[in-house]
Amino acid sequence: MKGGGLYSIIMIVVLFGLMYFMMIRPQKKQQQQWQNMINNLKKGDHVVTRGGLHGVIDSIDKANKTVTLDCDGIFLTFSLNAIGNVQSAPAAQQAQPAAKEEKTAEPAKEEKADSQAEDKETK
């Protein structure tokens, strides 16, 4: 009988140990990562709220724990707790719109040259 009681206590301790390593510890790590992300927010960061709204940070008020997001010209104020994650905008994505503008400008120049050549032929 005495050996059975000791075995039960050891099993309970092992179960609590497993619960800690499988549930509590990963949750604490995730919470710490989120807190670090919130502490490193700055103006201009692209964020997604927990509700799925995408925006760019316009201002951060650490005292009131709020953040103002610019969502296509509409400014919305959220609690810092509403920020789900920060999305990095790679330099390649930012350079693509500039490249597209150059490509659209070139055909316009060609069309202008073609129309000038046609004008000369008709005169």
Side-chain angles (χ1 to χ4, degrees):
M1 288 267 187
K2 291 183 181 182
L6 182 62
Y7 178 73
S8 297
I9 292 174
I10 291 173
M11 286 303 292
I12 290 173
V13 169
V14 168
L15 286 175
F16 276 113
L18 283 173
M19 252 179 33
Y20 175 77
F21 282 105
M22 299 297 270
M23 296 173 64
I24 298 170
R25 189 168 178 233
Q27 186 177 8
K28 283 185 178 182
K29 275 185 161 182
Q30 186 178 20
Q31 186 177 8
Q32 183 64 34
Q33 287 175 343
W34 181 83
Q35 189 63 45
N36 289 339
M37 178 189 69
I38 293 298
N39 291 337
N40 293 328
L41 287 176
K42 59 187 177 296
K43 184 176 179 177
D45 283 348
H46 295 266
V47 297
V48 179
T49 65
R50 292 185 179 182
L53 184 75
H54 294 249
V56 178
I57 294 178
D58 184 60
S59 66
I60 301 172
D61 185 1
K62 298 271 183 175
N64 293 326
K65 296 183 181 180
T66 60
V67 62
T68 303
L69 299 181
D70 179 5
C71 304
D72 293 333
I74 299 171
F75 294 90
L76 303 169
T77 303
F78 288 93
S79 168
L80 282 174
N81 292 332
I83 302 299
N85 63 22
V86 177
Q87 291 185 335
S88 60
Q93 287 180 351
Q94 293 175 353
Q96 285 178 351
K100 288 180 183 176
E101 290 174 10
E102 289 175 12
K103 288 180 182 177
T104 57
E106 289 176 9
K109 289 179 185 178
E110 291 174 7
E111 290 175 14
K112 187 175 179 182
D114 289 340
S115 65
Q116 288 176 351
E118 289 176 7
D119 289 341
K120 288 181 183 178
E121 289 177 4
T122 57
K123 289 183 181 180

